[in-house]
Amino acid sequence: MKKLELKEISKSFSTGGSDTKILNGINLHVNEGEFVSLIGPSGSGKTTLFHLIGGLIRPSSGQIVMEGSDVTGRKGLVSYMPQQASLLPWRTVEENVILARETAGLPKAESLVLAREWLAKVGLQGYEKEHPHVLSGGMQQRVSFLRALLSPQELMCLDEPFGALDALTREEMQHWLLKIWEQNKRSVLFITHSLEEALLLSDRIYLLSDKPSRIEREVIVPFERPRALTITEDPAFISMKRELINLMKSVGSGS
């Protein structure tokens, strides 16, 4: 089943009395239990797509469909993880984890039990009552991911969640995300600027052109699951990464 479909999505913004087109006829989908990545030049409208999917803005034209129903412009249907952890400093770690569930009206006591169970699973046992400032960047991102994972919405939109982390922490988080996702198989749409990260994590990759953006290429990632980080050393992986680099160069040059 297709969890999400974008059909001929276009978006323009009015600036200085003229319209600037950002997205131009985007068609993509995410199947149930599938991990799909979006890559493309900076400013190509990837985050704008997330705002459209989340109902924060409406497309100029086109349709957003979830599980067969038109949901264009509707809010509260996706679970979102931003680039920064965006934890509330006055709430404890466990209270941050359950925030989306609270907003959805789910019982707090039940949500806290679930949060404590998952915090233990991801190596944060003992931090439940702490506040975010005592956590490292990677630990804060784990809390942010759990908040998205435990929300009642099935589709997760992850907006370059590891971009602000140092290289070693980012690698640790990629390994952690692979392990957690492969246990749960939530439907994920993932923005990243890292081609290696996209290949490591994804079932499919959509490459966006420069704006006004369109889907330049859909790439099926052939590597079997479960995946280990050592797949990045495989000659087939390295070759595929090189192909993506060349595609990105051609998109960036407008050729």
Side-chain angles (χ1 to χ4, degrees):
M1 174 191 291
K2 290 181 180 178
K3 182 62 66 175
L4 170 72
E5 290 181 85
L6 302 187
K7 298 182 177 182
E8 293 295 326
I9 292 292
S10 294
K11 181 62 182 176
S12 298
F13 291 99
S14 295
T15 52
S18 62
D19 286 347
T20 301
K21 196 167 206 178
I22 305 297
L23 302 172
N24 183 26
I26 299 290
N27 291 285
L28 63 80
H29 70 276
V30 179
N31 293 320
E32 187 169 356
E34 188 178 34
F35 198 119
V36 177
S37 286
L38 283 173
I39 60 175
S42 295
S44 58
K46 297 184 292 294
T47 298
T48 298
L49 269 176
F50 272 16
H51 291 167
L52 290 164
I53 294 166
L56 300 178
I57 56 177
R58 291 187 66 94
S60 302
S61 61
Q63 190 180 34
I64 298 169
V65 176
M66 290 187 185
E67 297 183 349
S69 298
D70 186 345
V71 298
T72 309
R74 288 180 56 188
K75 299 182 180 70
L77 300 179
V78 301
S79 172
Y80 178 64
M81 181 178 175
Q83 295 177 17
Q84 303 295 330
S86 300
L87 304 179
L88 300 180
W90 60 88
R91 292 178 69 109
T92 64
V93 166
E94 65 183 14
E95 288 171 341
N96 269 284
V97 170
I98 68 170
L99 183 59
R101 295 177 62 86
E102 274 190 279
T103 303
L106 296 173
K108 183 174 181 179
E110 175 187 301
S111 296
L112 283 171
V113 170
L114 192 60
R116 291 164 190 158
E117 175 187 330
W118 272 96
L119 285 165
K121 286 182 181 180
V122 304
L124 291 176
Q125 189 169 21
Y127 289 93
E128 297 90 346
K129 303 292 185 183
E130 299 288 351
H131 287 80
H133 71 273
V134 308
L135 305 181
S136 68
M139 293 164 77
Q140 289 188 23
Q141 288 300 87
R142 291 187 186 200
V143 175
S144 181
F145 180 81
L146 282 187
R147 181 175 59 195
L149 181 70
L150 298 184
S151 74
Q153 296 84 4
E154 171 63 23
L155 177 66
M156 298 177 68
C157 292
L158 311 183
D159 190 355
E160 204 175 358
F162 309 144
L165 302 177
D166 63 82
L168 182 59
T169 305
R170 184 170 186 153
E171 184 175 291
E172 290 173 352
M173 288 298 295
Q174 289 168 352
H175 176 70
W176 175 81
L177 178 55
L178 265 179
K179 180 181 177 183
I180 294 295
W181 180 82
E182 286 176 345
Q183 289 172 357
N184 291 270
K185 293 291 180 73
R186 290 283 290 277
S187 305
V188 172
L189 189 58
F190 184 87
I191 291 176
T192 180
H193 280 96
S194 168
L195 303 181
E196 183 169 295
E197 187 169 76
L199 282 172
L200 175 66
L201 298 172
S202 307
D203 297 304
R204 288 184 299 114
I205 300 169
Y206 286 107
L207 172 61
L208 291 177
S209 70
D210 207 349
K211 66 175 182 287
S213 298
R214 63 188 184 280
I215 299 296
E216 189 73 25
R217 189 72 61 91
E218 176 188 356
V219 177
I220 296 173
V221 181
F223 309 114
E224 292 184 358
R225 295 188 185 276
R227 291 179 195 159
L229 289 180
T230 51
I231 190 69
T232 60
E233 302 167 12
D234 188 288
F237 187 98
I238 294 169
S239 175
M240 198 165 187
K241 179 182 174 183
R242 191 175 300 117
E243 289 178 24
L244 280 178
I245 289 172
N246 291 334
L247 276 172
M248 286 287 287
K249 285 180 178 177
S250 68
V251 168
S253 66
S255 59

